[in-house]
Amino acid sequence: MIKDNLSEVQRNIASAVKRSGRREEDVCLIAVSKTKPVSLIMEAYDAGIRDFGENKVQELVSKYEEMPKDIRWHMIGHLQTNKVKYIVDKAYMIHSVDSLKLAQQISKEAQKQNKTCDILLEVNVADELSKFGLSCDQVCETAEMIAKLPAIRIRGLMTVAPYVDDPEKNRTIFRKLKQLSVDITNKNIDNVFMDTLSMGMSGDYEVAIEEGAKYVRVGTSVFGERNYSINKEN
Ligand SMILES: *Cc1c(COP(=O)(O)O)cnc(C)c1O
């Protein structure tokens, strides 16, 4: 069943890639496995998926311990500074950096653990009150400050677009994130790379690919609906 879901998502990704004249290797599916058990995640792994997304530190850490070590774990949820130390060595990329303070903590822990941490800046493009993320006009100066920190590398931008019935409604959001990344690239800030856009979820990943997404974060369309009542902490 997971295998069939994956085939369908991958087919949709391939056609969006083709429509937009991009290359298949420039787009990567992150299977968002939050709340899902290891047994189900292993089905996706066995079908060839190596990129998984989690939004809770504890869940990422325990799945990291249990699952094969060639998995790239993406931290996509809001991150508290006091939990940074648990994932700096386990997350392949942290997509949800939304403050200088958090970046400072990541830099500090990464230095301690002798590694460099790849991050994305989360942008609240639609200015939704319910969402985390920098506002569009904060991104550039925040990037400049974070860029000066050791052991941390800005790779691009991430956004969680609004929940909409028609994915077309989010096209302008994705386009705006892309434009922001172009604007930042043009500033030529040392130690800032803008090769990665993380945008698009189950409802709108095809549009996101058409607008330049490198990572699409797809949960429901791969693993089915999430049941939050089973495990309250999620
Ligand atoms: C849960 C989640 C997703 C996946 O959402 P679906 O609609 O289930 O595909 C993507 N990104 C973030 C940040 C999430 O928290």
Side-chain angles (χ1 to χ4, degrees), residues 138-151:
Q138 289 176 306
V139 178
C140 205
E141 65 174 329
T142 307
E144 279 172 341
M145 290 185 287
I146 294 176
K148 297 196 179 95
L149 302 171

Side-chain angles (χ1 to χ4, degrees), residues 170-215:
N170 278 338
R171 190 178 291 279
T172 53
I173 302 280
F174 299 141
R175 202 166 279 177
K176 208 160 163 189
L177 194 72
K178 168 77 187 181
Q179 187 55 48
L180 254 179
S181 81
V182 171
D183 293 346
I184 293 171
T185 302
N186 289 340
K187 299 212 165 178
N188 275 320
I189 309 167
D190 258 2
N191 197 34
V192 174
F193 306 86
M194 280 286 144
D195 50 45
T196 304
L197 290 177
S198 169
M199 57 188 193
M201 303 170 31
S202 289
D204 53 22
Y205 63 90
E206 291 159 276
V207 174
I209 289 169
E210 289 168 10
E211 297 303 326
K214 170 171 177 186
Y215 288 119

